[in-house]
């Protein structure tokens, strides 16, 4: 387990502030005490975190970012947007993932306790809302990206999910499609509810299947519907990965895209241009969302009050061959 500044303070019989003063060479600790602290640091193998180094000055000049996983296809663009904003402001970025569940959350919590960063940008991992809310109420500045559950007490950056769904429906309706299938993500996500509502406000359908945002989920959902002879002339998949699974299932079943069935995705990840056929999709401005969240957090750290409502960035329909 990682040695913390609290471990050093306890072993040396001093306060964490005293340890911090020794680390920061503030000259406010007598020589005997300072020597004892340095000896304990050497014995325990303590490596000062950015939070410990910055404790005396009250700022680490570091921003934290908490995400569910780096494997999400649009995460790289989002992360790049944050980096492009914090680095010119002379802030570092400390990245946390929740790949290991409770173990990851415990490690993240230890960094919060060590004041390793000044504020946090979050793409909300599952089962962390209560913990994040507690940290926010205790004074940690937090900005959410893609507020999937709509938590108004947090500043957030979102995209126009409702309008994105509506734009997909308008495009399919204009192409003469009348029997659409909606393949959603998990229904408890706010973005899923908004995309579905936006689509159905333009092109109502009773054929809505809950998916899991995976290629396999998209493929299996369509295979099952085709096996049951369910009729549909178009598919609106709630992300491009599941749309790729839809295309694969349709191709395997001998259905022509777009002649027999048109397909529209959501996100516009780089892969969307290279599916067979290239995917019509609703583009999320993921890099701009990362930039906007980082700007909002840095502005708050500089003393600007957090905005009352979310910053909303628009989606855009990108037309390719899967639904011309």
């Amino acid at each position: 387990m990682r040695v913390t500044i609290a471990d050093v303070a306890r072993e040396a019989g001093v306060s964490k502030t005293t340890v911090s003063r020794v680390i920061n060479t503030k000259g406010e600790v007598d020589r005997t005490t300072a020597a004892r602290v340095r000896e304990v640091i050497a014995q325990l193998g303590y490596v000062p975190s950015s939070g410990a180094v910055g404790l005396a000055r009250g700022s680490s000049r570091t921003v934290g970012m908490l995400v569910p996983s780096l494997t999400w296809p649009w995460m790289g663009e989002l992360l790049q947007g944050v980096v492009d904003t914090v680095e010119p402001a002379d802030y570092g970025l400390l990245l946390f993932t929740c790949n290991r569940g409770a173990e990851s959350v415990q490690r993240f919590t230890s960094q919060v306790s060590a004041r390793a960063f000044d504020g946090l940008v979050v793409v909300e991992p599952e089962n962390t809302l209560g913990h994040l809310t507690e940290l926010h109420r205790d004074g940690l500045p937090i900005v959410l990206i893609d507020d999937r559950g709509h938590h108004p007490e947090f500043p957030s950056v979102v995209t126009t999910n409702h309008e994105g769904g509506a734009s997909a429906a308008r495009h399919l309706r204009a192409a003469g499609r009348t029997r659409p299938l909606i393949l959603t993500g998990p229904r408890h996500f706010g973005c899923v509810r908004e995309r579905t509502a936006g689509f159905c406000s333009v092109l109502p359908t009773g054929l809505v299947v809950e998916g899991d945002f995976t290629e396999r989920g998209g493929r299996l959902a369509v295979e099952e519907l085709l096996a049951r002879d369910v009729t549909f002339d178009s598919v609106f998949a709630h992300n491009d990965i599941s749309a790729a699974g839809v295309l694969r299932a349709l191709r395997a079943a001998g259905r022509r895209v777009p002649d027999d069935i048109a397909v529209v995705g959501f996100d516009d990840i780089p892969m969307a241009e290279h599916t067979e056929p290239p995917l019509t999709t609703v583009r999320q401005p993921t890099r701009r969302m990362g930039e906007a969240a980082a700007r909002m957090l840095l502005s708050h750290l500089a003393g600007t009050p957090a905005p009352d409502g979310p910053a909303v960035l628009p989606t855009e329909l990108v037309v390719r061959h899967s639904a011309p």
Side-chain angles (χ1 to χ4, degrees), residues 7-190:
D7 296 327
V8 174
R10 183 168 52 252
E11 184 69 20
V14 298
S15 69
K16 289 190 293 184
T17 301
T18 298
V19 176
S20 178
R21 286 172 177 167
V22 173
I23 293 170
N24 285 277
T25 62
K26 289 294 185 179
E28 300 170 356
V29 183
D30 69 78
R31 290 183 180 180
T32 302
T33 301
R36 184 167 72 253
V37 169
R38 283 191 288 270
E39 183 179 352
V40 170
I41 287 174
Q43 288 175 348
L44 298 181
Y46 173 63
V47 178
S49 69
S50 58
V53 173
L55 186 59
R57 69 175 181 268
S59 172
S60 69
R61 300 295 296 181
T62 301
V63 167
M65 186 171 181
L66 177 65
V67 302
S69 171
L70 294 178
T71 61
W72 289 17
W74 45 263
M75 192 60 72
E77 281 290 297
L78 193 71
L79 178 60
Q80 192 62 55
V82 174
V83 170
D84 288 346
T85 304
V86 302
E87 285 189 347
D90 197 28
Y91 272 77
L93 181 66
L94 194 57
L95 181 63
F96 303 92
T97 67
C98 281
N99 289 321
R100 297 187 177 183
E103 180 183 341
S104 298
V105 173
Q106 183 178 8
R107 177 168 296 183
F108 163 72
T109 302
S110 71
Q111 294 297 303
V112 176
S113 300
R115 295 175 62 182
F117 51 88
D118 301 327
L120 186 65
V121 174
V122 177
V123 180
E124 183 193 333
E126 292 285 334
N127 303 316
T128 59
L129 176 60
H131 187 53
L132 292 171
T133 300
E134 182 179 345
L135 292 175
H136 185 62
R137 289 173 179 171
D138 286 344
L140 179 68
I142 294 177
V143 175
L144 295 185
I145 297 177
D146 188 20
D147 181 6
R148 295 174 292 166
H150 296 291
H151 313 303
E153 70 178 281
F154 292 104
S156 62
V157 175
V158 300
T159 192
T160 51
N161 286 297
H162 188 281
E163 171 54 27
S167 68
R170 285 194 294 268
H171 183 70
L172 291 174
R173 185 179 63 182
R177 309 290 174 163
T178 59
R179 297 181 63 85
L181 158 67
I182 301 177
L183 179 60
T184 76
R187 289 179 179 170
H188 63 278
F189 286 178

